[in-house]
Amino acid sequence: MSKAIPETAPAVIIGGGIIGMSTLYHLAHRGVPAVLIERRKIASGTTWHAAGIVGQLRDSTAQTELGKYTARLFRDLEEETGQSTGYKQNGTINISLSDVRHEQLLRTHDHAARMGIPSHILSPQEVKEHWPALVIDDVQSGLFVPSNGQVNPLDVTIALSKGARQKGAQVFEGTKVERLEIRDGKVVGVVTDKGIIATDQVLIAGGMWSHLFGKSHGITVPLHAAEHFYVVTEPVAGLPSTQPILNIVEERNYWKEDAGKILIGGFEAQGKAWAKDGIPEDFEFDELPFDMEHVEEDLMRMFARMPSLEGLGIKTFFNGPESFTPDGRPYMGPVPDVKGAFLATGMNSNGILNSGGTGLTLAEWMIDGRPSRSMAPLLAARAHPFQANTRYNQDRAAESVGFHYGINWAGRQVHSARGVRRVPLHQQLKTAGAVMAERIGWEVPMYYDAENPEWSDVPSLRWKPWSEQVKQECLAARDAAVLLDQSMYAKILVQGPDAARALNHVCGAEMDVDVGTSVYTQFLNQDGGIEADVTVTRIAPTSFMVVSGHPSQMRDQHWIRSNADPSWNFEVFDATSGYCLLTLHGPKSRKILQSLSSDDVSNDAFPFGAARELDVAYARGWVIRRSFLGELGFEMMFPTEFSQGVYEALLKAGAPHGLRHMGMFAMNACRIEKGFRHFGHDIGEDDTPYETGLGFAVKLDKAGGFLGKQRLAQQKTEEGPAYRHRTVSVKVPGLTAENGPYLIHNEPIWKSGEIVGHVTSGDWGWRLEAMVGLATIQRGGGASKAWIDEGGFEVQIAGKMYPIEAQLGPFYDTKGEIMRG
């Protein structure tokens, strides 16, 4: 007789794959006996047919630590539960077939050393020693990470289930969740076909079922199922069980030992979305038809790489569904739309290697209110409402299959689901030569080239196909004037009697300022960490306009609302589509603006940081004295319908002054020269304003408390200027734009024979004619200014050491005289 569904539970997990089971396990080990509901048998959706590869290296420190934790968990789980997990530490080998990929492997080797993960660069012959039947004529190098490995996905899911149940958790198979019970925007229960469970916390970990289930409750879960193919050979004589896993990203396939056979899987550039009409009700441990025609090209590459496969024979041709997201990253954490609802889904074929860290992190989120490590790139709150569109997810999922393979570089473009969101001036910008990239549905101008407005698909980590255009745009900003359309940026209107109070609660700076004042500030968390990097302009006594980066459009609204006292009287309105944002920069920008306005825009009348309602051409709107480029600049915000008229007037007035268009590549290069931090790269939830050189934006003595005040006050008192972590500007003398190598991200920084930090963002600085970047550095006794100024720093780029200059201030316009002039 099956046990009855409990009437109440501290938390309910929907989905019995490895992600849901890992969260159940970690909740139980924290003393929370949650309930897991699975529609069929555990692991019967995607988990059971996963390849089971366990890797550790990620782009960020926090996520790499979680990868390392997952490997340790798989190693220790068998001893804890007595259930075999099939975990083997075979190691992984990534090989390169080109100069670009070889440089990437060298950079990954550097990054691994910084993260404390041993790795080795292999010669082609050393690669062949591990894989003797491999053709290596075009192999340049390999990267071996011995501590990576593989696991049996079904076995480890059972082990997690056993470990959770030993601590009081409950698992119910063959039980269908029909809906969530939601009242006043809060989860109060889960309705199943066997009864209702009262609970105030629910985790949706339903894999490919999560999108439509979430959508039925007004929750945006951007993902869709796509087909994933692999083959398994006949038994291979003499194949060791310790055979390292092989990854060939340029040929889009992976190879691993599988019970004496070789399993070879591929991630084609353009995959196949599955179940567009819905997942069959009886789906359980199901295989899909193998589409030989679709994967023929991939199979041919496999046989060419190992000709002996022809004589060996293929035993299994397998095809199974996995869920993929629009940006290739999972969705994790609390849902903005429904209090008490959490997501852990959309693993993009990385569910096994994500599982331990994901379960640990979700348990922390559900128990402590926030995770112990930054999960910024994976936040569920990053989803935008349009991403609930099912067709969009279907079309993008087919391409998302290939995101993890192929060469990632700055020019890699998505081709599916394009043209979703366009700024009002989209067609005019295209006519001007804008070369667009897709960012969360937006078509964003990256650079301008009227002669050849097409992307190049030839990868490069050094001089790019667009470098000359970016150079001219940056020099125009320095010498004349440039115009950017940043209308895709988030514009959030916070208004009402308690608007200033609500903003003061989340911001480090003082928000109760005069009307017509623009304030640069950060949204903070309880630990003083940075949750957003914004400007806030008071446009009326009870109205404030928050401008933030376009990825944060939904997240920032959620942060304001979720941290406000329910009794406060204010509202948050998304005004992004209601206003254009045109920005004008450069020494000629004032003359251009003044020629279009009868209002005084001189420095005395309109100083840096001021905001004014001005006449511009035939429009009237808010103009703010700011510049993310570090030049004299004006940010102009008008109702959308005025954008075309203002744009045309600016071009006409700017022509005699050398005005030209600027794209995001040039803006990024300029902001790095100026030392301006970028949220998500240089600053994030684990960084405080004091550590990142933004302490000037914190007003500890403002009336009332604010998030993180206690931590920041303690930090300023106890650490003073010698914070353990500091953000610095760095310059690498002797390099060239043509030959590099370039600072990009994650390059280790050394001093006195030790790694003391890493680059967070970098690029060639066209105004400085130097390789520049921003970096975070640390020192046990505090990274004091004196320690920084004594120098002796080196940066490691692709395996080579280069002396660098490091300083707390920017290298471009150190005193800020240009921007304020």
Side-chain angles (χ1 to χ4, degrees):
M1 181 176 178
S2 61
K3 59 182 178 181
I5 290 284
E7 294 183 356
T8 64
V12 175
I13 296 169
I14 302 173
I18 194 168
I19 299 298
M21 203 61 73
S22 176
T23 306
L24 185 77
Y25 170 89
H26 286 91
L27 284 170
H29 280 65
R30 287 284 304 273
V32 179
V35 170
L36 184 144
I37 307 295
E38 165 54 45
R39 57 181 288 279
R40 294 284 177 166
K41 294 290 186 182
I42 65 171
S44 64
T46 292
T47 297
W48 72 276
H49 64 71
I53 296 172
V54 182
Q56 301 167 83
L57 276 173
R58 306 288 193 282
D59 187 57
S60 75
T61 301
Q63 291 172 53
T64 298
E65 290 298 332
L66 290 177
K68 293 165 70 174
Y69 168 79
T70 299
R72 292 196 302 271
L73 175 67
F74 290 165
R75 184 189 64 209
D76 299 339
L77 198 57
E78 184 171 341
E79 181 178 345
E80 175 191 341
T81 65
Q83 167 67 43
S84 172
T85 64
Y87 180 62
K88 298 189 297 181
Q89 208 169 50
N90 312 30
T92 57
I93 297 175
N94 284 271
I95 66 173
S96 68
L97 308 178
S98 65
D99 292 342
V100 171
R101 183 59 181 159
H102 173 62
E103 181 172 332
Q104 287 182 330
L105 292 188
L106 293 175
R107 289 170 176 268
T108 302
H109 179 51
D110 296 344
H111 177 48
R114 183 175 75 82
M115 297 308 305
I117 299 175
S119 64
H120 311 286
I121 294 293
L122 305 179
S123 68
Q125 191 57 45
E126 289 172 319
V127 170
K128 194 171 181 65
E129 289 174 8
H130 288 283
W131 282 87
L134 210 67
V135 172
I136 62 167
D137 294 352
D138 56 346
V139 173
Q140 291 203 15
S141 62
L143 176 69
F144 182 38
V145 182
S147 58
N148 287 341
Q150 62 189 65
V151 70
N152 185 306
L154 186 56
D155 287 346
V156 78
T157 306
I158 294 171
L160 288 166
S161 174
K162 186 175 181 179
R165 286 182 282 121
Q166 287 173 347
K167 296 288 186 178
Q170 297 184 72
V171 175
F172 292 88
E173 296 177 297
T175 304
K176 182 179 180 180
V177 174
E178 296 179 341
R179 70 178 190 276
L180 302 181
E181 193 72 28
I182 300 171
R183 296 177 192 162
D184 299 323
K186 301 177 182 178
V187 167
V188 296
V190 176
V191 180
T192 78
D193 60 357
K194 295 181 180 177
I196 301 175
I197 308 172
T199 186
D200 60 3
Q201 285 195 322
V202 171
L203 172 67
I204 301 172
M208 57 189 174
W209 285 269
S210 301
H211 168 68
L212 291 179
F213 181 80
K215 190 174 182 177
S216 69
H217 294 85
I219 298 172
T220 301
V221 189
L223 59 82
H224 192 80
E227 300 181 23
H228 177 55
F229 302 85
Y230 61 74
V231 298
V232 182
T233 69
E234 297 286 353
V236 180
L239 183 69
S241 63
T242 56
Q243 181 74 23
I245 298 156
L246 180 69
N247 290 303
I248 314 176
V249 301
E250 288 156 294
E251 294 184 340
R252 297 185 167 277
N253 52 53
Y254 60 88
W255 307 55
K256 58 165 287 214
E257 184 273 340
D258 186 75
K261 302 176 284 292
I262 300 176
L263 183 153
I264 314 171
F267 290 94
E268 61 274 30
Q270 187 62 35
K272 292 179 63 180
W274 178 72
K276 290 187 176 183
D277 297 324
I279 301 170
E281 184 65 28
D282 60 352
F283 187 92
E284 181 182 10
F285 296 112
D286 284 11
E287 294 185 32
L288 307 180
F290 194 89
D291 188 340
M292 189 68 73
E293 183 179 354
H294 176 72
V295 299
E296 182 179 7
E297 185 178 338
D298 298 271
L299 290 172
M300 293 300 291
R301 282 196 295 264
M302 296 173 190
F303 279 85
R305 184 59 55 189
M306 187 183 286
S308 60
L309 287 177
E310 291 192 26
L312 187 60
I314 304 298
K315 179 181 180 181
T316 303
F317 292 88
F318 183 85
N319 181 15
E322 301 189 9
S323 58
F324 293 84
T325 66
D327 59 9
R329 302 194 304 267
Y331 285 88
M332 292 169 49
V335 169
D337 316 285
V338 180
K339 188 173 182 180
F342 294 78
L343 292 181
T345 190
M347 295 295 146
N348 299 275
S349 202
N350 283 328
I352 306 304
L353 60 88
N354 282 338
S355 59
T358 297
L360 174 68
T361 299
L362 264 298
E364 292 174 342
W365 240 318
M366 298 171 78
I367 296 170
D368 305 326
R370 61 188 301 261
S372 59
R373 296 175 178 87
S374 170
M375 290 289 108
L378 314 181
L379 288 179
R382 80 181 188 275
H384 287 221
F386 85 91
Q387 293 179 307
N389 182 291
T390 300
R391 182 179 174 186
Y392 163 82
N393 284 288
Q394 290 173 348
D395 290 352
R396 177 56 61 80
E399 186 176 7
S400 296
V401 169
F403 282 178
H404 301 299
Y405 280 62
I407 293 180
N408 283 301
W409 70 296
R412 185 172 180 176
Q413 279 295 292
V414 296
H415 302 283
S416 59
R418 291 295 298 263
V420 179
R421 309 169 82 181
R422 308 181 190 191
V423 299
L425 295 173
H426 174 84
Q427 195 54 51
Q428 287 86 348
L429 301 180
K430 288 285 288 182
T431 300
V435 183
M436 304 282 190
E438 187 267 359
R439 300 288 185 268
I440 317 174
W442 287 107
E443 294 295 319
V444 179
M446 301 306 293
Y447 68 96
Y448 287 80
D449 186 354
E451 299 297 320
N452 182 29
E454 300 294 334
W455 280 103
S456 168
D457 60 359
V458 180
S460 175
L461 302 181
R462 303 191 180 200
W463 181 270
K464 315 293 192 304
W466 55 79
S467 290
E468 183 59 37
Q469 284 69 35
V470 171
K471 173 183 178 180
Q472 296 306 321
E473 293 171 18
C474 292
L475 296 183
R478 183 192 68 187
D479 302 331
V482 292
L483 177 65
L484 286 87
D485 190 338
Q486 296 173 256
S487 299
M488 73 291 298
Y489 276 41
K491 294 168 282 285
I492 303 164
L493 186 61
V494 184
Q495 56 190 6
D498 291 319
R501 189 175 187 180
L503 285 170
N504 254 331
H505 182 61
V506 297
C507 294
E510 175 63 72
M511 293 293 101
D512 195 4
V513 295
D514 293 337
V515 174
T517 303
S518 176
V519 180
Y520 170 63
T521 188
Q522 291 77 42
F523 289 178
L524 304 175
N525 57 42
Q526 292 283 7
D527 295 327
I530 299 170
E531 295 285 343
D533 190 55
V534 302
T535 59
V536 182
T537 302
R538 192 168 202 167
I539 59 176
T542 60
S543 296
F544 298 79
M545 185 65 80
V546 180
V547 177
S548 184
H550 47 291
S552 300
Q553 181 179 346
M554 308 312 301
R555 173 185 174 173
D556 290 356
Q557 296 175 62
H558 173 59
W559 194 254
I560 299 168
R561 292 191 184 102
S562 63
N563 285 287
D565 189 312
S567 68
W568 293 347
N569 186 8
F570 76 102
E571 66 176 358
V572 178
F573 175 74
D574 189 341
T576 302
S577 298
Y579 293 88
C580 68
L581 181 63
L582 303 178
T583 65
L584 187 64
H585 312 262
K588 305 292 182 63
S589 60
R590 181 179 283 124
K591 288 183 179 179
I592 296 171
L593 182 60
Q594 188 66 79
S595 71
L596 297 174
S597 180
S598 57
D599 297 295
D600 187 356
V601 297
S602 67
N603 198 46
D604 290 338
F606 197 3
F608 181 79
R612 303 279 189 269
E613 271 196 292
L614 301 180
D615 294 342
V616 179
Y618 295 133
R620 184 165 179 81
W622 282 95
V623 180
I624 305 164
R625 266 290 306 274
R626 289 203 177 277
S627 172
F628 198 45
L629 280 62
E631 301 289 347
L632 170 66
F634 302 88
E635 299 179 350
M636 299 170 288
M637 190 164 54
F638 302 95
T640 299
E641 64 267 27
F642 294 98
S643 57
Q644 185 164 329
V646 172
Y647 171 76
E648 291 170 353
L650 285 167
L651 291 186
K652 184 176 180 180
H657 300 285
L659 176 68
R660 67 181 297 154
H661 292 81
M662 174 181 268
M664 293 296 154
F665 281 143
M667 187 187 78
N668 186 60
C670 288
R671 72 94 186 164
I672 293 174
E673 286 180 300
K674 183 57 182 167
F676 285 152
R677 282 63 166 151
H678 183 269
F679 182 73
H681 284 97
D682 311 303
I683 53 178
E685 299 99 317
D686 294 338
D687 308 305
T688 72
Y690 291 131
E691 294 163 346
T692 53
L694 302 175
F696 65 87
V698 176
K699 188 171 177 61
L700 287 173
D701 60 353
K702 68 178 181 179
F706 62 92
L707 291 176
K709 178 179 179 179
Q710 183 176 353
R711 166 67 181 128
L712 293 177
Q714 178 187 19
Q715 188 177 50
K716 187 172 184 180
T717 301
E718 296 181 2
E719 298 180 33
Y723 305 109
R724 180 178 175 84
H725 301 272
R726 298 294 288 271
T727 297
V728 295
S729 290
V730 298
K731 183 195 294 186
V732 191
L735 301 184
T736 65
E738 291 76 15
N739 299 318
Y742 275 56
L743 295 180
I744 302 174
H745 182 63
N746 273 337
E747 295 86 358
I749 292 179
W750 295 73
K751 182 172 180 175
S752 302
E754 296 182 353
I755 295 178
V756 297
H758 67 281
V759 173
T760 53
S761 57
D763 204 347
W764 182 260
W766 298 102
R767 296 174 299 185
L768 291 170
E769 280 296 303
M771 192 67 66
V772 292
L774 287 162
T776 180
I777 58 174
Q778 63 272 337
R779 182 181 180 223
S784 66
K785 184 177 185 301
W787 179 72
I788 295 169
D789 289 346
E790 72 183 20
F793 295 98
E794 294 179 295
V795 65
Q796 187 174 6
I797 311 176
K800 295 183 179 180
M801 306 295 284
Y802 300 86
I804 60 172
E805 300 172 24
Q807 61 187 45
L808 291 172
F811 288 100
Y812 185 75
D813 187 27
T814 304
K815 297 181 180 179
E817 295 171 341
I818 296 174
M819 193 168 58
R820 290 174 169 79

